[in-house]
């Protein structure tokens, strides 16, 4: 069997894997990532210099202890519920409503929106790499709308109940319209959506920068940012500490959106058209599905979810729009692949991603491991866990049927004795 056939056989096996097998594969990949990361930590600790070795193996001292690094990583993401150097193990003063856990949930919440955005487009057979741009413009629209409309409303709880939902809708509309552009280019001009969405990311960043720096900037700030919106018009933390920039209301909204997207994709005729267009476009068109309209609508929906992510970033985290928007849209691609493009899978994938991002801060401060090495560990875990799902998606998009020997029209072999 040739190397190509071997590769196809592996892809066929991954594509046919059951849900249980996929979970086991992801868990095994996570274990492998941890083991490979441990080796990298040991090697890095060996080539650096320190006064006291953090751990000793086979008589050789190492500056970094991989066990300590991983324990601090996950313990820090949860707000240190365990006493790592104490026989008591559990921290009696641990409160789940702590700052570290709030940071983890903040990242998780934002990634739920961007992960859903990418998942919807993938289910439609479209590669929306432009969630970042849709998030940027959606967030900017939310910030400007909130700033200009807030003076027209009563302040306090009543004003917040009116303004916040409207601001999220505005962010979703702007993100959706921006996402529909590459959808229309794909549907009516056959433009590759990967290229157009990547380019639109840069265009969105520049548009937002020019608008804020030239027209809507905060006159009291040296940074390119909008004027802050009133506190009553933001998603304030409920029960969690102020500095964590996390609102449980935003998480609840994100989880409700997960259910809504799943229902839309799995239980409605639009979702059936969208999924069929992505999995079997020829069959979908033969069955009467308007492929062009479905493409534009799918990208609008994907962009709207990205725009909502930007709105939540403004209303929950920043309280304004500011240049240097974090790469939440690009992280959403990994989250979606990790989740197998399943809306419900987006939640644990976003939680894993949020844990790694939040816990890496604890590693930097708690162990002295350089942040570059922490970034390598985080990327390693994401790479190992996401790759099986990536190849499974790849296998579902290409022809994996074994090569068959060409036969003559009369059923005989070409080049046979009767030829």
């Amino acid at each position: 069997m040739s190397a190509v056939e071997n590769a196809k056989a592996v892809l066929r096996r991954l594509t046919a894997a059951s849900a249980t097998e996929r979970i086991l594969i992801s868990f095994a990949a996570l274990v492998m990532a941890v083991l490979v990361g441990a080796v990298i930590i040991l090697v890095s600790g060996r080539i650096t210099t320190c006064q006291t070795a953090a751990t000793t193996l086979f008589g050789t001292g190492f500056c970094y202890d991989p066990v300590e690094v991983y324990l601090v990583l996950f313990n820090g993401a949860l707000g240190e519920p365990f006493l790592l150097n104490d026989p008591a193990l559990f921290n009696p003063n641990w409160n789940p409503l702590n700052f570290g856990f709030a940071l983890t949930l903040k990242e998780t919440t934002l990634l739920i929106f961007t992960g859903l955005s990418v998942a919807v487009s993938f289910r439609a057979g479209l590669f929306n790499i432009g969630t970042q741009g849709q998030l940027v413009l959606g967030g900017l629209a939310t910030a400007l709308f909130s700033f200009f409309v807030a003076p027209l409303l009563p302040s306090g709880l009543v004003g917040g109940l009116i303004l916040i939902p409207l601001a999220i809708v505005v962010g979703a509309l702007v993100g959706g319209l921006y996402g529909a552009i590459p959808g229309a280019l794909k549907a009516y001009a056959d433009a590759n959506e990967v290229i157009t969405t990547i380019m639109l990311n840069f265009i969105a960043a520049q548009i937002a920068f020019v608008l804020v720096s030239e027209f809507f900037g905060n006159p009291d700030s040296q940074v390119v940012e909008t004027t802050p919106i009133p506190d009553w018009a933001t998603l304030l933390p409920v029960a969690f500490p102020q500095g964590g920039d996390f609102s449980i209301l935003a998480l609840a909204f994100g989880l409700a959106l997960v259910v809504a997207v799943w229902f839309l994709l799995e239980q409605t005729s639009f979702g059936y058209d969208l999924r069929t267009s992505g999995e079997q476009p020829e069959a979908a068109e033969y069955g009467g599905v308007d492929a062009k309209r479905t493409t534009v609508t799918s990208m609008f929906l994907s962009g709207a979810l990205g725009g909502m992510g930007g709105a939540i970033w403004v209303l929950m985290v920043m309280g304004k729009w500011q240049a240097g928007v974090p790469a939440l849209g690009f992280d959403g691609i990994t989250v979606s692949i990790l989740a197998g493009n399943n809306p419900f899978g987006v939640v644990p994938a976003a939680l894993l991603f949020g844990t790694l991002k939040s816990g890496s801060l604890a590693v930097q401060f708690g162990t002295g491991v350089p942040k570059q090495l922490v970034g390598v560990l985080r990327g390693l875990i994401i790479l190992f866990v996401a790759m099986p799902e990536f190849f499974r998606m790849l296998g579902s998009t290409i022809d994996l049927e074994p090569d068959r020997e060409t036969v003559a029209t009369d059923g005989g072999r070409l080049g046979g004795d009767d030829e």
Side-chain angles (χ1 to χ4, degrees), residues 44-63:
S44 301
R46 186 59 189 163
I47 61 179
T48 191
T49 55
C50 56
Q51 292 184 341
T52 306
T55 186
T56 302
L57 294 174
F58 306 110
T60 304
F62 298 88
C63 291

Side-chain angles (χ1 to χ4, degrees), residues 73-78 101 103-105 107-108 111 348-361 378:
L73 177 71
F74 291 101
N75 199 39
L78 298 175
F101 195 38
L103 289 178
T104 301
L105 292 179
E107 297 290 345
T108 302
L111 290 171
L351 180 61
L352 173 63
F353 218 100
T355 300
L356 293 174
K357 293 185 77 171
S358 173
S360 62
L361 297 175
R378 200 174 71 191

Side-chain angles (χ1 to χ4, degrees), residues 119-252:
V120 166
S121 64
F122 276 174
R123 291 294 290 271
L126 301 165
F127 290 86
N128 180 15
I129 314 297
T131 296
Q132 180 68 19
Q134 294 139 23
L135 179 144
V136 168
L137 291 186
L140 177 59
T142 296
L144 295 178
F145 176 81
S146 300
F147 174 73
F148 286 112
V149 175
L152 307 177
L153 298 173
S155 61
L157 180 62
V158 175
L161 290 174
I162 298 173
L163 184 56
I164 291 174
L166 289 176
I168 293 175
V169 170
V170 168
L173 282 175
V174 172
L177 291 174
Y178 201 65
I181 294 174
L185 291 173
K186 169 75 174 180
Y188 298 103
D190 200 25
N192 188 300
E193 79 276 13
V194 176
I195 304 299
T196 54
T197 51
I198 289 175
M199 294 175 69
L200 286 168
N201 280 335
F202 295 106
I203 294 172
Q206 293 305 316
I207 289 174
F209 188 89
V210 171
L211 285 176
V212 175
S213 61
E214 298 294 333
F215 303 105
F216 303 112
N218 182 359
D220 300 326
S221 175
Q222 299 299 317
V223 181
V224 179
E225 62 180 19
T226 61
T227 303
I229 56 181
D231 284 345
W232 56 265
T234 62
L235 289 164
L236 297 174
V238 179
F240 281 87
Q242 182 77 32
D245 295 328
F246 167 68
S247 171
I248 199 167
L249 297 175
L251 178 59

Side-chain angles (χ1 to χ4, degrees), residues 327-354:
L328 296 164
F330 297 115
D331 292 342
I333 298 172
T334 312
V335 169
S336 179
I337 293 174
L338 204 59
N341 301 326
N342 185 314
F344 287 123
V346 165
V347 179
L351 180 61
L352 173 63
F353 218 100

Side-chain angles (χ1 to χ4, degrees), residues 372-392:
Q372 291 84 357
L373 181 55
V374 177
V376 169
L377 296 177
R378 200 174 71 191
L380 202 61
I381 292 174
I382 293 168
L383 181 69
F384 269 66
V385 177
M387 274 301 103
E389 280 300 321
F390 173 76
F391 283 115
R392 193 184 70 81

Side-chain angles (χ1 to χ4, degrees), residues 238-322:
V238 179
F240 281 87
Q242 182 77 32
D245 295 328
F246 167 68
S247 171
I248 199 167
L249 297 175
L251 178 59
F253 176 58
L255 295 176
L257 206 59
V258 167
V259 177
V261 170
W262 171 84
F263 184 84
L264 180 70
L265 292 178
E266 304 293 341
Q267 304 295 323
T268 65
S269 57
F270 170 74
Y272 176 79
D273 291 348
L274 185 146
R275 288 185 289 112
T276 308
S277 298
E279 295 167 1
Q280 297 176 320
E282 293 83 7
E285 288 205 36
Y286 184 77
V289 175
D290 188 334
K292 293 181 178 178
R293 187 181 64 185
T294 304
T295 298
V296 177
T297 310
S298 303
M299 288 299 287
F300 175 84
L301 178 60
S302 177
L305 291 167
M308 283 188 199
I312 296 299
W313 176 69
V314 166
L315 297 174
M316 182 179 75
V317 181
M318 300 299 294
K320 59 189 173 186
W321 188 93
Q322 189 178 77

